Amino acid sequence: MAFRLIIVLLSVLAVVQSEEQIYRMCVPQEYYEDCLNLLKDPSEAGIRMECVAGRDRIACLDMIHEGKADVLASEPEDMYVAYHTKNDDYKVISEIRSQADKEAPFRYEGIILVKKNSNIHSLNELRGAKSCHTGFGRNVGYKIPITKLKNVEILKVSQDPDLTATERELKSLSEFFSQSCLVGTYSPYPETDHHLKKKYSNLCALCEKPEQCDYPDKFSGYDGAIRCLDKGKGDVAFTKVQFIKRYFGLVPGLKAEGDPSDFEYLCEDGSRRPITGPACSWAQRPWSGYISNTESVKGEEKLHNLQNRLEKFFENGLHAENKEAAIHLLIRGDAAYFKKPEAVGPQAYLEKAGYKDVIERDGSAIRKMRMCVQTDIELQKCNGMRRAAYSRDIRPEMECVQQKECIQAVQENKADMTAVKAKQYKLARNNKLQPVVYEKFGENDVFVAVVDPALSQEKLKNTPIFFDALNPRARTAVDYLNILRGIRTCQLASSAEKDIMIVNAKDLEQFKNYQLLCSNLEKKPVSEWQTCNLEADLPLAVFIRDSMTHVEQETLKHLLISLSEEFGKNGDYSDVFKLFGAYTPNDKNVLFDDDAVGFVTELKNEKAQEELYQSLECDVA
């Protein structure tokens, strides 16, 4: 009897402890305050959760894997990263659905729409058709059709090494379809974009504005692709189910723009279905959701406790006054929380939707591009960048290789690219390497010299300089100013006096009573920092072999610019992976400069800048 009582008491104690457990929600560092606000607004009573900050979502996934956090609000692409980290250690436990489609198993379903009187009855018969797409690079209108048609060996993508990966895909679509409307930016470089649209002009022929072939266009987007088929000259449209329902008035309260009886879904097996009934989708996008680790949800009780806690947190977010904070944590005003009956591994979650194949679309790249790094922490960051990039469809796929001498490794074809700091430019050039992209900084992130307005012209020539001796860019500005003043000896230490100071133009608000000292040693108001500065440092650049083919150079350039656009300071996915900024509190300027904001493909005066830097005795290796 006593033994049974002990067992019961232990069971009760276990339940109480699990109910009292505080679960740790990992959020990207930039949204940490948002998470704290959601716990307080309108009430944190009963939620029993706390916010822990990771550098970004990639870091949060690693923290969950290591048991340092319990759960993360994630998108399918993040779940793909988890699957390739260690699938068995992660579990998808809940979904973030929309109120309008809260009963739907998937966020959206990609479908093929044809006219009822069409002669198209199989995927193979799509060859030669006039196609309508949502847009270049988009999921249901571009990635899914290419992926699926390639997988069934109907679409043949060229392996021509003289064409970039993007052009190979465009060429295959141009040859497969007779005419199309495929709007968008084919290349981040306007000249290349214009060239591709001119060369494959049939891909723009069905658009409202073929000569523009870009947004806005009434035959683009989810509804525009349907309109292209209905009102335009298309034979087939690639879009998603929700917009079929809206366009044809199958949603209560919405007026029909077309007659639903004139159209049918084309299924993968060649059958057709009326659009008034269930769709036959050929790929789906899973819902966003919450991912945890296996240990946190082992057994029904643990799973339900965490799900219930998340539901309270979610409801708190829905009713929070700070809507933007909620959105940062994937809680939108039309969202609905859905508990999964059982926890499922990320691989199974993605495969059920057929979305794993979509993410793994190779982008028609011939090979991986190898980035050389030297230290363990650089390798760690490079691999994080690689994981994030592949999941977000940045191609070609990267590979990170660790070598003692990266410039030599690139020169010997043991790697394809490496990050090179200013002092190593000359060495890289001597090893027949060339820069392909450069770091860029904020517009007012330049170093200037501020001086006491009362300082005489004579004293300007020999007064010691105050500067941040730990900042390489500040030191270079000091070297430059000294040479301009005819001082050939390096100033090794900062002056205690502040008659002349090297500061960043971002901080000029506190120097309103000073003046700037220009390169001609004339004084100007502090408002003139754009033309009166001493910025002489060379930005970090990514160098490649100068023997690489034009296609290889363009491919690497596209890869690096894509990384910058997606993961840079103002990138769409800067919360997924932080390309710039401190990698850890103790690891600064890992691979790239913490203060950089993105990459550019050229400097305004590249040769002049290199010559100027090399002339500065103090900073030449």
Side-chain angles (χ1 to χ4, degrees), residues 511-530:
F511 297 103
K512 290 180 179 178
N513 297 326
Y514 286 75
Q515 289 182 312
L516 297 181
L517 183 62
C518 304
S519 57
N520 59 4
L521 301 186
E522 289 185 5
K523 297 176 187 175
K524 283 193 176 181
V526 291
S527 59
E528 300 292 312
W529 56 265
Q530 287 178 304

Side-chain angles (χ1 to χ4, degrees), residues 360-426:
E360 291 177 348
R361 166 183 160 270
D362 65 6
S364 304
I366 289 177
R367 66 178 178 86
K368 297 177 182 180
M369 288 296 177
R370 301 160 296 172
M371 181 159 199
C372 185
V373 298
Q374 292 180 296
T375 66
D376 290 344
I377 196 71
E378 287 178 344
L379 181 64
Q380 186 177 325
K381 180 173 181 177
C382 182
N383 277 320
M385 177 168 62
R386 174 188 59 79
R387 293 154 69 200
Y390 190 82
S391 73
R392 298 285 168 174
D393 196 42
I394 295 175
R395 300 292 188 273
E397 185 177 359
M398 293 176 61
E399 182 179 351
C400 303
V401 295
Q402 190 173 12
Q403 297 281 332
K404 288 183 178 180
E405 300 293 340
C406 277
I407 289 175
Q408 184 179 344
V410 174
Q411 196 269 332
E412 294 175 353
N413 197 17
K414 294 177 182 176
D416 298 302
M417 56 183 164
T418 189
V420 175
K421 295 181 180 179
K423 285 189 175 183
Q424 293 182 305
Y425 267 48
K426 191 172 182 179

Side-chain angles (χ1 to χ4, degrees), residues 358-552:
V358 176
I359 292 178
E360 291 177 348
R361 166 183 160 270
D362 65 6
S364 304
I366 289 177
R367 66 178 178 86
K368 297 177 182 180
M369 288 296 177
R370 301 160 296 172
M371 181 159 199
C372 185
V373 298
Q374 292 180 296
T375 66
D376 290 344
I377 196 71
E378 287 178 344
L379 181 64
Q380 186 177 325
K381 180 173 181 177
C382 182
N383 277 320
M385 177 168 62
R386 174 188 59 79
R387 293 154 69 200
Y390 190 82
S391 73
R392 298 285 168 174
D393 196 42
I394 295 175
R395 300 292 188 273
E397 185 177 359
M398 293 176 61
E399 182 179 351
C400 303
V401 295
Q402 190 173 12
Q403 297 281 332
K404 288 183 178 180
E405 300 293 340
C406 277
I407 289 175
Q408 184 179 344
V410 174
Q411 196 269 332
E412 294 175 353
N413 197 17
K414 294 177 182 176
D416 298 302
M417 56 183 164
T418 189
V420 175
K421 295 181 180 179
K423 285 189 175 183
Q424 293 182 305
Y425 267 48
K426 191 172 182 179
L427 177 63
R429 294 280 195 189
N430 290 341
N431 279 270
K432 298 182 179 180
L433 271 57
Q434 66 182 37
V436 66
V437 296
Y438 304 88
E439 285 184 341
K440 69 173 180 179
F441 296 89
E443 184 184 8
N444 64 339
D445 188 354
V446 294
F447 279 85
V448 296
V450 293
V451 299
D452 184 335
L455 203 64
S456 69
Q457 199 67 30
E458 188 61 35
K459 285 191 174 182
L460 283 175
K461 294 180 181 179
N462 53 31
T463 297
I465 303 170
F466 175 87
F467 66 101
D468 179 1
L470 298 178
N471 190 305
R473 292 171 64 199
R475 291 201 307 270
T476 302
V478 173
D479 297 340
Y480 183 33
L481 179 54
N482 278 341
I483 286 180
L484 293 171
R485 298 192 302 171
I487 300 173
R488 308 303 297 180
T489 303
C490 296
Q491 180 170 339
L492 300 178
S494 173
S495 168
E497 301 299 322
K498 297 184 178 181
D499 293 328
I500 300 180
M501 293 183 283
I502 297 295
V503 301
N504 197 295
K506 293 185 297 184
D507 304 319
L508 282 176
E509 185 67 24
Q510 56 187 297
F511 297 103
K512 290 180 179 178
N513 297 326
Y514 286 75
Q515 289 182 312
L516 297 181
L517 183 62
C518 304
S519 57
N520 59 4
L521 301 186
E522 289 185 5
K523 297 176 187 175
K524 283 193 176 181
V526 291
S527 59
E528 300 292 312
W529 56 265
Q530 287 178 304
T531 56
C532 181
N533 65 71
L534 298 174
E535 186 64 52
D537 204 45
L538 282 174
L540 179 147
V542 177
F543 275 69
I544 63 174
R545 284 182 304 285
D546 61 11
S547 60
M548 278 186 161
T549 67
H550 173 73
V551 169
E552 287 175 320

